[in-house]
Structure formats: structure tokens, C-alpha cells
Amino acid sequence: MGKDLVRAATSDNVQPLALLSCERFGATLAICPRTRTTIEVLLKSQTEHVVLKFLKARVGFASGGSISQLARSMAGVNFLALTAALVSISNTFEAGLALEKMIISSAADKTLVPTAYQLKDLLDVLEPRLNRVGFLTDVLGWKNWWINNEDISERSRVEMIRIGDPFPDADGLQKVVAALREVARIGEAKTASFTAGYAAPWLTAFIKWCIGEPPTILGPNGQVLLSQPSNPIDIIYSGEETFYRQIQIKLVTTFGSFTEIIVAKLERPPHTAAGMVDIQTHAKYVLRSANIQSGLGSRALMQALPYALKQIRDFPICGGRPEENVDEHTLDGLRSNAFPQESTIANVMARYLSLDEQPNLKVLPEGTLVTDLPLVSLWIKQQKTDLRTHGGLEFISRGLSCVVADILALSLFDGCLDSLLVYYDPYVMLRLDLELADNITSVLLGKMPPPCSVDPILKWALFLVHHEVSASLVKHNWVGSSFHGQVAFPKLFEDQLLRKHGYLELYCIPGTLTVDGLETNPFSLVEGATSSLGIGQTDEAETWVAPVTRSLNLYRNEKILWKIQTLKDCISAGVGWSRDLSIANPFDLLQGLALAIFVESCPHDINTPISHPPTDCQYIPLLNPLAEIIGDEETSPETVQWSNSSIKVFPVLGDNGLRMIALGSLSTDVTGNHDRIQTVVSNGACLNCLINQCRLTGCNFILL
């Protein structure tokens, strides 16, 4: 066992024995040159790193280590190619079980075979890089070929859609790989004939992945569906129930002197492929599962989407409500919006639906619902007469609403869409939290959904990229996460821009998350931290009781500081500033923006003073705006009660970092406010206009 191999294995905390056995096993595999080239090109492209200023961390794929060691030899690349096909459709533990059986069956010395858990540890290191190879996309492409082939019975095609994308269990995978090895082995030529049912799409893709070209495909009556004379392998589709649960493999020598029949079983219920795909592949599944991928359903969707996206984007689905005595229309044009500009959403819609031109979002005529649109109305009526559906409104609740949720959630990743992978799971609707879709349905049907926080939007967006962070979102302490080769976090934390439109926008960068000094230990989760809140005094204590007359910054010499701590299983991140050791939970910044309105301009200069200071306003300090401050007895004996002032002004003009600190101090736990608009954020307006907006809208805080 060489020093380089041991060094590579230990750098990834995997067993050297597992790495050595896998490379040796790779020498026995039937992998074509085209697939090996695909793996090598992928690995060579994964060299860029991004430094996150706020976390003092790096995002990217580490050089060296196990994957670099395996990529040095043809045998190692063969193993990586097989591993890519396995981890693209299943979790690393299931893939480890399958590899354990494969290695045992081919190893001359069984005492050197690694365990499934040791193999899982290795696959956990390889998976983030290899799931970008696109094998699952190939599987779904072949599934589309199968279900559109009219030589297969309609019943079989419908069941193929319903059952998902099954593939063999660990023992069955070992037998399929062994059969392909026999066909590719130098010596007496052999052919292989596979008889399969619902697993035919996976089998077709896997044979092409290993051999380099698809097999000859025969229908249930022996008719040729796809002819590949140069490939010694064929697939026979069978609609018999027996082949719903297994794949039969028949190995035959060229002269027919020997025939071997092998049965590769599928689990009951069968494993079904799930993993990362591109946006268009994911969208095709969503549309097909809602029965709106073609025909009248597709036309109804195309008619409804521009109106529905506009309606939901403009509706404060997670924004605050005004005070009870304030007219809702007072907030028109002022509300913050979780989603980006309309042009961005329209661009995502075009990408999602593979449209040639970017559409324009449209406003529904007053008093009209999307269900009143001609094609939508006709489609709903048609569905009501179809006994296979649950009523016409299923088009809205499980069709249009889910597509709208997908497109709006994907728009949050604007700027990262070219490299973005999203999660495909044929049973996703059974696992997805549908709170966002349910709220969208309520709005589209003219109902008022209950107020909600930013959680449902973030939950949907992060589920799309297969980040299981529901627990952190429930606790309101999610800051960032890294799963399946993608690192996601809010743009606000990195660029410090308080966005009126798109305040929930996210970065999603290929790679894993590491911290200097701990490069061999990638982190999966970044969670928010808090500490006891202190009072941020200025150099002039009397300022707090001075009249509010102008926009200013009382913290000119201070700056935002992120307090980062690496724990055993996550990174802890809090946001503070240079004068105080207290820190706030970064998630509160997102919550604060949801309850904010923006005043972007006014006719006056931003520095215009107020000639008659208002009596209902007070400057307040960072981090603890509702606390009491008792001044020095000699200079300021008064006790300042911030809660006595109806309008409280954060004096942080022009410093986005300190504005974030102020916003983070207004957590719902401190203010007791969970759904009411509370903050006026200045984007260039003068102080007097900001105060007037506070009075009109019932807000209590001004962020200069």
C-alpha cells in the first residue's frame, strides 16, 4: 500500500483499505472510454473556489484526497464511473451495500474486502463531485423514450409513470454489473439478453453508461424498437407481472454452446431512482405528474402562469400586515418583496418551460381569477368529468400552484441557475411541505391565507436543491447549508445589500464548505447564534436624549463583525459589531426585512434637517432598541425609556453593515411582533419624509 494512497485516504477520513480495494475492483469493470472521459473532464472542471467573507470559509472542491488518487489510473476512473451511476440515483448507504457485494464477488482475497460502512464513508466524500455527472438525467431521458413508445401497451406506459424509476437491489446490481463484465471480457465472445419490465429505463441507461451505446431493444412481441447491431446486448420488454419485480439475464456464448440464466431482483416495494438533475428535467416531471405536460392542460398552464406569477409576486405572502387602523393601500409600492424583479421571474419561467422567448407577466382584470381564464376554465370543466382526477381544482392546488412555487423559489437563485442542480424524486409530493403551495392556492382562488413567516419560501427553495434543513428553519436559526455538492446561503449575508425586491435571494455554489485549518472536515450546516444583548453607547451619551432633527450616523468608527465558531457538527454564526460582544441571530435579519417597507426617494435632499423637532421620535442604540438606559448620574441623571417614544430612529446612515445589525435587533422575540409591518427603511429619503411614513403606516422604527 503506497504512501500516496494512505495520505489520500487519511486526508478524507476514509479507510486506506477501502480505497485500495475499490481501485483494484475498478480494473474488473466494463466501462467504456467515453464514460471514463466524461468523469475525467468533470473532475478537471471542478477547480474553482469561492471565499465567503462573512463566514471566513471556502466553497469548492478540495484538490488531492481520495478522488484525485482514484483518478490517476484507468482502474480508479472505472470505479468512479460506476460510483457516479450509483450515487446519482440512491443514497450512499444503499450504494455502499451494492458495492460491498460487487467487491466480494470479484475479490480473490475476501479478507481484504471493506465493509459497507467503510464504503459509505468513501462514497460520502465522492458523492458531492460525482452527482454532477448527469446519469439520472440519462435515466429519465430513456424513461421518456419508453413511455412515448406506442409499441408498449398504454397500461404498461401508465404504470411506468406511476411506479417511478425502479432499479435492482444490492444483490441485483451486483449481478447486472457481473453480466456486463462477462460480455466485455476478452476471450470467448458472449452476448447478453436482459428481460425487464418497469426497470427497463434504468437498465437502458446503465448499459449505455457502461458499454458506450444503447442496447438493441425488443418489444413484448419480439418487434425491434431500437436496433444496435454493434452492441452484443439486448433488452426485451415484458409486461408479465414476474418482470415487474425482477430482471432476467441470459448469457450466451457466440456459438450457443453454453447458456447461463441469472435473476436480478427488485426490492418490494422497489428502489426508485432519486437524485440531482437540471431544472428542465425536474420541470418535465412536475408537469407530467400534474398531467399538464401536453394538450389542453399545457395550454391552460401557459395561459395562467403569467397572471399567477404576477399575482403571487405582488401579494405579501410572507410580508407583514399594517396596523388595524391603517388602510392596506397605504403600503402600496412600499412593501419589501421576498422575490426579485418581474424580469427575473419571467426569465426563470422561460428556462423552466424551455421556452424560446421570455414571456411578460400580466395583471388579471379587476374582479377576475385565474380560474376565469378561458383555457383554464375549460380544462377544469374537463377534469371534473374525468373519474381519474379529484376534481377540477386539482389543476390549481397540485398543478399551477406547485409550478408557481417552483418558479418563484428558483428565481431566488438568480445568478446561479446555470450551475444549479435540483432534486428529482417521483414521490416528492408525499414528502414536500406544501404550506407555500397551499398559500398560493388560497390567493389564486381569491382567499386570504393566514400570515406566515419566511420559512415556507426558504423551505421550498432549499428542498429544491435537496437541503434538508427543516429543523433549522423551524428554530429560525438557518444561516447556510452544504449538501450534495452545493452550498446555499442568503445573498444578504455576503453582500450586505438591503434589497427591497428579492431580500430572500440565495447563492447556491457548487462545492463543499470548509474552514481554513479544517479542510478535511467539510461542514453541512451553518446555524445562527445569539448572546446576551448589550447597549451600544456612542461617544456622546447625551445624544440619546437630544431631539431628532437630521439623518446621521453615530457609529462612524464602527463596523459589522461576524462571530464565527466551528463546532463538532456545524458552524455557529452570529452577527455583531466592533464595540459590543453581543451578537444577534442572522436569521432575524431576514425576518426583519419581511416586516419592513422601503422609502426609496423623496423631493428633498437626504440631509435636510427638521426645523421643528418631533416630540414622538427618539434616537436609539444598536442591538437593544427596547431596553432602558440609565445615564451617568453627573451628566445625565435621566432614565431614557425607549418604549415611551412611538417612533424610534436607528442613527446608522450610510453603513449597510450597521443597518443589518439594527435590523437584527428587531427580532420577533424582542418586539413581540410576528406579522405587523414595523420598520421604515430609507433608500435615499430625508428624515422628515421617513417620519411621516411611520405615522401613515403605523411603523415604530426607522432605519436611516
Side-chain angles (χ1 to χ4, degrees):
M1 191 178 295
K3 292 182 179 179
D4 289 345
L5 186 144
V6 173
R7 187 181 301 112
T10 53
S11 70
D12 288 328
N13 294 322
V14 301
Q15 289 293 326
L17 173 62
L19 192 57
L20 177 64
S21 298
C22 290
E23 185 171 16
R24 289 177 176 175
F25 170 61
T28 72
L29 295 172
I31 300 294
C32 67
R34 180 185 300 173
T35 297
R36 283 197 296 270
T37 300
T38 299
I39 295 296
E40 291 179 289
V41 169
L42 173 70
L43 297 182
K44 288 179 180 178
S45 69
Q46 297 173 337
T47 57
E48 295 184 0
H49 288 79
V50 175
V51 176
L52 305 186
K53 294 180 294 184
F54 81 101
L55 275 184
K56 304 178 183 67
R58 286 163 38 111
V59 176
F61 296 108
S63 58
S66 301
I67 201 163
S68 297
Q69 177 67 28
L70 289 168
R72 291 181 178 181
S73 66
M74 181 184 294
V77 175
N78 283 348
F79 173 77
L80 291 174
L82 174 63
T83 299
L86 296 178
V87 298
S88 294
I89 61 173
S90 65
N91 61 55
T92 54
F93 180 69
E94 290 177 346
L97 289 174
L99 283 174
E100 182 186 46
K101 289 185 175 293
M102 295 177 196
I103 294 173
I104 288 174
S105 70
S106 64
D109 186 352
K110 302 295 191 286
T111 62
L112 298 179
V113 175
T115 68
Y117 277 100
Q118 291 172 340
L119 290 167
K120 177 191 176 298
D121 289 340
L122 175 60
L123 296 184
D124 284 338
V125 174
L126 305 181
E127 182 266 347
R129 298 183 69 170
L130 295 181
N131 66 17
R132 290 191 165 269
V133 81
F135 177 71
L136 179 54
T137 300
D138 289 345
V139 173
L140 298 176
W142 280 107
K143 179 174 182 176
N144 193 55
W145 183 90
W146 278 95
I147 63 178
N148 287 315
N149 196 311
E150 295 183 356
D151 289 315
I152 306 297
S153 70
E154 183 179 0
R155 173 182 172 276
S156 293
R157 285 183 283 147
V158 170
E159 282 298 296
M160 199 176 285
I161 294 173
R162 184 190 65 82
I163 203 168
D165 310 283
F167 60 93
D169 60 15
D171 185 64
L173 285 168
Q174 179 270 316
K175 291 176 179 177
V176 171
V177 169
L180 296 179
R181 181 191 301 122
E182 288 296 317
V183 172
R185 178 175 294 172
I186 298 175
E188 185 177 14
K190 291 184 179 180
T191 61
S193 180
F194 292 78
T195 304
Y198 298 149
W202 169 83
L203 185 60
T204 310
F206 189 71
I207 291 172
K208 181 177 182 293
W209 180 254
C210 294
I211 304 301
E213 59 181 348
T216 294
I217 300 177
L218 306 175
N221 298 318
Q223 69 272 37
V224 178
L225 307 182
L226 180 66
S227 178
Q228 295 290 120
S230 61
N231 194 332
I233 300 172
D234 62 55
I235 293 177
I236 302 170
Y237 180 80
S238 174
E240 295 180 18
E241 187 175 347
T242 300
F243 295 102
Y244 297 168
R245 300 187 298 274
Q246 66 182 38
I247 297 172
Q248 186 185 86
I249 309 168
K250 185 183 293 185
L251 291 173
V252 184
T253 60
T254 302
F255 302 106
S257 59
F258 178 76
T259 300
E260 182 181 5
I261 297 178
I262 304 168
V263 173
K265 293 184 178 180
L266 278 64
E267 291 278 5
R268 300 187 67 181
H271 290 298
T272 185
M276 308 306 291
V277 297
D278 57 61
I279 292 172
Q280 291 80 6
T281 301
H282 164 82
K284 288 175 183 176
Y285 160 73
V286 173
L287 300 183
R288 189 172 64 214
S289 65
N291 194 28
I292 50 177
Q293 79 280 14
S294 61
L296 180 58
S298 176
R299 291 164 57 207
L301 176 71
M302 289 302 299
Q303 184 179 67
L305 258 183
Y307 296 101
L309 287 169
K310 172 70 173 174
Q311 184 179 3
I312 300 304
R313 184 200 174 275
D314 292 348
F315 186 88
I317 203 156
C318 69
R321 310 285 191 258
E323 293 293 336
E324 294 181 0
N325 58 346
V326 175
D327 187 351
E328 184 86 25
H329 294 295
T330 305
L331 303 178
D332 289 349
L334 300 174
R335 288 181 184 275
S336 60
N337 197 313
F339 304 111
Q341 299 282 2
E342 290 183 19
S343 58
T344 299
I345 295 171
N347 178 58
V348 175
M349 174 183 166
R351 184 187 291 257
Y352 190 88
L353 298 175
S354 302
L355 304 178
D356 294 331
E357 296 182 1
Q358 180 174 308
N360 293 317
L361 304 191
K362 303 176 183 178
V363 179
L364 282 167
E366 189 172 353
T368 304
L369 301 176
V370 290
T371 52
D372 298 323
L373 297 171
L375 292 177
V376 177
S377 177
L378 182 60
W379 175 249
I380 290 174
K381 289 178 182 177
Q382 186 182 95
Q383 294 299 289
K384 286 181 178 178
T385 62
D386 190 337
L387 298 178
R388 293 172 297 179
T389 67
H390 299 289
L393 291 182
E394 190 178 67
F395 168 76
I396 303 294
S397 62
R398 293 298 177 263
L400 179 60
S401 293
C402 288
V403 173
V404 168
D406 265 5
I407 292 173
L408 290 177
L410 288 170
S411 73
L412 300 181
F413 296 106
D414 181 46
C416 305
L417 295 175
D418 290 340
S419 62
L420 191 73
L421 294 180
V422 295
Y423 184 50
Y424 165 83
D425 181 348
Y427 300 121
V428 67
M429 298 306 291
L430 301 178
R431 305 185 179 111
L432 186 59
D433 186 328
L434 293 173
E435 182 180 355
L436 177 60
D438 291 341
N439 286 344
I440 290 173
T441 298
S442 295
V443 175
L444 294 179
L445 296 179
K447 303 174 184 176
M448 179 66 71
C452 69
S453 68
V454 299
D455 303 14
I457 296 176
L458 288 174
K459 192 176 295 184
W460 194 288
L462 293 169
F463 189 88
L464 275 178
V465 295
H466 203 14
H467 284 210
E468 293 284 3
V469 292
S470 297
S472 293
L473 289 172
V474 169
K475 292 187 293 184
H476 290 174
N477 68 351
W478 177 81
V479 175
S481 45
S482 173
F483 293 95
H484 307 291
Q486 297 186 127
V487 179
F489 55 92
K491 291 182 178 180
L492 169 66
F493 298 161
E494 182 68 6
D495 61 25
Q496 299 184 17
L497 295 180
L498 302 187
R499 294 171 173 82
K500 178 181 179 181
H501 301 284
Y503 64 81
L504 285 186
E505 284 192 40
L506 305 166
Y507 284 115
C508 192
I509 304 172
T512 56
L513 182 65
T514 57
V515 176
D516 288 344
L518 296 171
E519 287 83 357
T520 62
N521 182 33
F523 290 91
S524 296
L525 197 60
V526 184
E527 293 194 326
T530 59
S531 71
S532 58
L533 299 178
I535 299 298
Q537 294 279 15
T538 65
D539 293 332
E540 300 175 352
E542 64 271 14
T543 303
W544 300 122
V545 294
V548 175
T549 58
R550 58 193 176 93
S551 296
L552 44 76
N553 183 357
L554 295 178
Y555 301 94
R556 289 181 297 274
N557 298 322
E558 311 302 334
K559 62 180 180 179
I560 186 174
L561 288 179
W562 284 82
K563 312 295 178 68
I564 307 300
Q565 184 179 7
T566 54
L567 305 178
K568 181 179 180 181
D569 54 352
C570 72
I571 297 175
S572 172
V575 60
W577 59 302
S578 50
R579 180 172 298 193
D580 201 318
L581 296 178
S582 302
I583 57 176
N585 180 3
F587 193 88
D588 289 336
L589 277 63
L590 305 176
Q591 301 266 60
L593 283 171
L595 303 178
I597 60 175
F598 283 71
V599 182
E600 297 186 282
S601 63
C602 72
H604 318 110
D605 185 271
I606 190 173
N607 295 312
T608 302
I610 299 176
S611 55
H612 300 289
T615 59
D616 58 349
C617 297
Q618 180 69 55
Y619 292 121
I620 56 172
L622 294 175
L623 277 182
N624 207 345
L626 301 185
E628 299 178 1
I629 290 184
I630 302 178
D632 181 85
E633 292 184 0
E634 295 182 2
T635 59
S636 180
E638 300 94 343
T639 298
V640 181
Q641 295 276 1
W642 307 126
S643 55
N644 287 343
S645 300
S646 59
I647 299 176
K648 307 163 185 67
V649 182
F650 285 107
V652 288
L653 179 67
D655 191 317
N656 280 335
L658 296 182
R659 295 170 95 204
M660 288 172 59
I661 299 295
L663 199 62
S665 71
L666 300 177
S667 72
T668 56
D669 294 333
V670 172
T671 65
N673 171 39
H674 295 269
D675 64 349
R676 296 293 181 186
I677 293 289
Q678 63 180 9
T679 309
V680 172
V681 179
S682 172
N683 268 6
C686 74
L687 181 58
N688 193 53
C689 289
L690 295 172
I691 292 172
N692 287 337
Q693 281 294 347
C694 271
R695 292 167 178 158
L696 288 171
T697 57
C699 291
N700 301 117
F701 299 95
I702 292 177
L703 201 54
L704 294 178

